[in-house]
Amino acid sequence: MSPAPCGGVAGLVPAGLRRKLARLFLLCLCAPALACAEPAALSCQLDPVVAAGAPEPRSGHVLLGLDGEVLAWGGSGAGGFTSTGAVYDLKLRAWRPTRSQGAPSPREYASAVWTGDRAIVWGGEGSGGMLGDGGIYDPRRDAWTPAPDIGGPSARVFHTAVWTGSEMIVWGGRDSTGVREDGHAYDPRRHKWRRIATASAPSGRSHHTAVWDGRRMIVWGGLNDRLMPLGDGAAYDPDSDRWAAIPASRIISARAHHSAVWSGLAMLVWGGL
């Protein structure tokens, strides 16, 4: 059966997948040229992760997919904030610790992105309060280098970060003044930050989500300064440095603390408060 052209918002998701995810809230940006096809049967197998060599129990940590590996770093455990971590090799089913020398200071609720060869960890909160710095981890060399803080965002927590293919965009969150409605993009090749446009950006918020759709960063939901949930967002195009609003919809309720992923066809939003 040949793919049928998508029509409207619902058309961004193949019909079979819509039925399987009938209870999942979808927020889609229409792409009229996109073709939809029935997906192959879905299957899932759960395998336990080896506990030997794993980092000590913690919360508020980074968990980031690398190429065939997973990085677990930072967070807060029984001993407080930590800057320790480990990499889990999915093929070998084994952990190896990350080097502590040169790592960012102990923290929780940091953001992290994978560039294709390095992990960039930024922001969060430590024993001295909110943080505006970070580090770049090379898993092949097991080495950290500092990420510059000059020209970057204010120290903050509960923000988001996405990787565009050439830059890490940090947006929103909460700093010492309240929720933020600004963002910065970091280019690891030039080791420089640039401030992104604020005109038509979403209102200030924390605990929101952000995904990269291949061309745009899509920000949605979160909490405003009065800790009220939000049901709107916007899409940011780094090539034009412009925002396009995503208004609130009756299809999905306002929320924060939710999860969102880009499926290749649509942004899927699930859960939250």
Side-chain angles (χ1 to χ4, degrees), residues 148-176:
D149 54 1
I150 298 176
S154 59
R156 62 186 68 187
V157 69
F158 305 131
H159 56 284
T160 52
V162 301
W163 175 249
T164 70
S166 60
E167 294 179 316
M168 175 183 71
I169 303 179
V170 172
W171 191 87
R174 179 176 290 273
D175 70 3
S176 59

Side-chain angles (χ1 to χ4, degrees), residues 56-137:
E56 66 272 14
R58 62 190 66 191
S59 63
H61 53 285
V62 162
L63 189 66
L64 182 65
L66 316 182
D67 289 339
E69 298 179 323
V70 177
L71 170 67
W73 184 86
S76 180
F81 300 108
T82 181
S83 60
T84 63
V87 173
Y88 185 72
D89 188 308
L90 297 171
K91 185 176 181 179
L92 298 177
R93 296 173 60 84
W95 290 93
R96 67 178 187 274
T98 58
R99 182 178 300 180
S100 297
Q101 182 180 359
S105 59
R107 65 191 66 198
E108 64 181 357
Y109 304 124
S111 60
V113 300
W114 174 243
T115 70
D117 59 6
R118 289 172 174 79
I120 307 178
V121 174
W122 189 88
E125 186 170 16
S127 58
M130 287 175 276
L131 298 163
D133 62 357
I136 304 171
Y137 179 68

Side-chain angles (χ1 to χ4, degrees), residues 13-262:
V13 183
L17 186 56
R18 288 203 303 273
R19 291 194 295 270
K20 292 181 177 67
L21 302 179
R23 297 182 181 276
L24 192 66
F25 287 102
L26 304 179
L27 179 63
C28 311
L29 293 183
C30 191
L34 194 62
C36 296
E38 190 76 11
L42 300 178
S43 62
C44 180
Q45 178 179 336
L46 298 177
D47 292 319
V49 173
V50 174
E56 66 272 14
R58 62 190 66 191
S59 63
H61 53 285
V62 162
L63 189 66
L64 182 65
L66 316 182
D67 289 339
E69 298 179 323
V70 177
L71 170 67
W73 184 86
S76 180
F81 300 108
T82 181
S83 60
T84 63
V87 173
Y88 185 72
D89 188 308
L90 297 171
K91 185 176 181 179
L92 298 177
R93 296 173 60 84
W95 290 93
R96 67 178 187 274
T98 58
R99 182 178 300 180
S100 297
Q101 182 180 359
S105 59
R107 65 191 66 198
E108 64 181 357
Y109 304 124
S111 60
V113 300
W114 174 243
T115 70
D117 59 6
R118 289 172 174 79
I120 307 178
V121 174
W122 189 88
E125 186 170 16
S127 58
M130 287 175 276
L131 298 163
D133 62 357
I136 304 171
Y137 179 68
D138 184 342
R140 293 172 300 178
R141 298 190 300 115
D142 186 28
W144 289 93
T145 55
D149 54 1
I150 298 176
S154 59
R156 62 186 68 187
V157 69
F158 305 131
H159 56 284
T160 52
V162 301
W163 175 249
T164 70
S166 60
E167 294 179 316
M168 175 183 71
I169 303 179
V170 172
W171 191 87
R174 179 176 290 273
D175 70 3
S176 59
T177 67
V179 293
R180 302 293 305 188
E181 56 185 6
D182 64 343
H184 291 70
Y186 172 67
D187 183 341
R189 295 168 302 178
R190 301 172 59 210
H191 301 290
K192 288 186 177 181
W193 290 93
R194 67 174 179 88
R195 185 180 177 88
I196 70 172
T198 56
S200 301
S203 58
R205 63 193 65 198
S206 64
H207 298 86
H208 55 285
T209 52
V211 302
W212 178 250
D213 75 353
R215 189 167 63 88
R216 298 161 295 187
M217 175 181 71
I218 308 172
V219 172
W220 190 84
L223 296 175
N224 64 19
D225 219 6
R226 295 176 296 160
L227 302 181
M228 297 294 293
L230 299 164
D232 63 351
Y236 173 72
D237 183 340
D239 290 336
S240 63
D241 194 28
R242 292 182 178 178
W243 289 91
I246 302 174
S249 170
R250 290 178 295 177
I251 295 175
I252 181 168
S253 60
R255 64 190 66 195
H257 300 281
H258 55 284
S259 299
V261 297
W262 179 254

